Amino acid sequence: MLNNGRIYYLDSMRAILMILGILLHTANIYSPSHFWLVSGNETSILFAIISDFINLFRMPAFFMVSGFFFVYIYRKRQRIDIVDRVFRLVIPLVFTALTLNVIQEFLVKAHYDQPLDFARFFTAGGWVSHLWFLVNLTVYNLVVWGLFLLKPAHPLLQRTSDWLAGRYVYPLAILAFPLMISGIYGMNRMMDIYSSFYGVTSPFLLLYYFQFFALGLLFGYSARLLDRFSQPGKVELLTFALAYIGSYVVQDRTATDSFLHDVSGAYNHSLVILFLSSMCFFLFRRFLDFRNRALGLISDSAYSIYLLHHILVVSLGILFVDASVNMYLAYPVIVVLTFTLTMLAHQGIARSQWLSFLLNGVRPTKFRKSSRNSHRTEAGARQ
């Protein structure tokens, strides 16, 4: 069982993965291969590389960390306050979507001199924008919370985690997991999983990222499994390398329109995602597994930074594109300004109970006290 102390490197990792959204979305402005809300007059393949590289591992690793902390909190407290967790996800989602994202839509339409179409904005999911992951996390939290109410689920997950961490099983798990990822893509051959529900989410998005959330759940049950993933040894690295070379050779030597070519390509891509996620865990564990005031401040601010950054990147992007600022100057300036302003904004948010509620989902003190008293009353009644 993992100890009950704070896991600094995972705290920092979760925060920085969220903040990487600033680099990614700013890169989209100047990428020749990404159609985004704002497009620069200049583009460079460099920004496409930045965007594509961050996209490979950022959200898979983030959902792994989220799954881990779900189990970590449960095992620490022997319960999950599902109301509190849903509040922390849904309230910021709804508030940001109906305020900042609406203003953002005004700015974008004005920039391109296009008419506003709020009917399409809401029915096509434009209001969700960068907050889609909160929808996924809400669904995952509710589903797993329901699963955790079933007592047999815990020993089963514990045994599965311990088994996967085995000396010979783990390398086989490395080879098998990309097949699961690729299988989600393959499901579309049997049914339509890409159609979205009013643009909010889709079966594909829910299933695809749940794999990583579930892997994080298993990490929470086995310190050894987490260790093997976050501290890969020679066997693990050799397994990744041989699997990558093997799938690449198969893809290269099969006809481009064949099923085997598609499968090997998807497997290869999925293996890269898993490897980069493992390296992300490794680097944070190796270099940031300690208590630090600056990292603590970033961890505390990350949620606010992510919620607020999108409209700032869009606004600054419009300003710099209209002013024809060189993209190599504009990119770092937008990134630094966005990070600085959102970090400062969080300080004001943290001092206000209602802003903390609306933008971080932290219920005001009087509501938390009322909830705790209600919980104690129910507990007393049961006894």
Side-chain angles (χ1 to χ4, degrees), residues 282-290:
F282 167 75
L283 292 172
F284 275 88
R285 184 165 187 163
R286 176 69 177 81
F287 297 106
L288 293 177
D289 194 16
F290 56 86

Coordinates of all heavy atoms in Angstrom, one line a residue, residues 282-290:
F282 N 8.7 9.2 -15.2 CA 10.1 9.0 -14.8 C 10.8 10.4 -14.5 O 11.5 10.5 -13.5 CB 10.9 8.3 -15.9 CG 12.4 8.3 -15.7 CD1 13.0 7.5 -14.8 CD2 13.2 9.1 -16.5 CE1 14.4 7.6 -14.6 CE2 14.5 9.2 -16.4 CZ 15.2 8.4 -15.4
L283 N 10.6 11.3 -15.4 CA 11.3 12.6 -15.3 C 10.8 13.4 -14.1 O 11.6 14.0 -13.3 CB 11.1 13.4 -16.5 CG 11.9 12.9 -17.8 CD1 11.5 13.7 -19.0 CD2 13.4 13.0 -17.6
F284 N 9.5 13.4 -13.8 CA 9.0 14.1 -12.7 C 9.4 13.4 -11.4 O 9.7 14.1 -10.4 CB 7.4 14.2 -12.8 CG 7.0 15.3 -13.6 CD1 6.8 15.2 -14.9 CD2 6.7 16.5 -13.0 CE1 6.4 16.3 -15.7 CE2 6.3 17.6 -13.7 CZ 6.1 17.5 -15.1
R285 N 9.4 12.1 -11.4 CA 9.9 11.4 -10.2 C 11.3 11.6 -9.9 O 11.8 11.7 -8.8 CB 9.6 9.9 -10.3 CG 9.9 9.1 -9.1 CD 9.3 7.7 -9.1 NE 9.4 7.0 -7.8 CZ 8.7 5.9 -7.5 NH1 7.8 5.5 -8.3 NH2 9.0 5.3 -6.3
R286 N 12.1 11.6 -11.0 CA 13.6 11.8 -10.8 C 14.0 13.2 -10.4 O 14.9 13.3 -9.6 CB 14.2 11.4 -12.2 CG 15.7 11.6 -12.2 CD 16.4 10.6 -11.4 NE 17.9 10.7 -11.4 CZ 18.6 11.6 -10.8 NH1 18.0 12.5 -9.9 NH2 19.9 11.7 -10.9
F287 N 13.3 14.2 -10.9 CA 13.8 15.6 -10.7 C 12.8 16.4 -9.8 O 13.3 17.5 -9.3 CB 14.0 16.3 -12.0 CG 15.0 15.6 -12.9 CD1 14.7 14.8 -14.0 CD2 16.4 15.7 -12.5 CE1 15.7 14.2 -14.7 CE2 17.4 15.1 -13.3 CZ 17.0 14.4 -14.4
L288 N 11.6 16.0 -9.6 CA 10.7 16.9 -8.9 C 9.9 16.2 -7.7 O 8.9 16.7 -7.3 CB 9.6 17.5 -9.9 CG 10.2 18.5 -10.9 CD1 9.1 18.9 -11.9 CD2 10.8 19.7 -10.3
D289 N 10.5 15.2 -7.2 CA 9.9 14.5 -6.1 C 10.4 15.1 -4.8 O 11.1 14.4 -4.0 CB 10.2 13.0 -6.2 CG 9.3 12.2 -5.2 OD1 8.3 12.7 -4.8 OD2 9.6 11.0 -5.0
F290 N 10.1 16.3 -4.5 CA 10.4 17.0 -3.3 C 9.5 18.1 -3.0 O 8.8 18.6 -3.9 CB 11.9 17.5 -3.3 CG 12.2 18.4 -4.5 CD1 11.9 19.8 -4.4 CD2 12.7 17.9 -5.7 CE1 12.1 20.6 -5.4 CE2 12.9 18.8 -6.8 CZ 12.6 20.1 -6.6

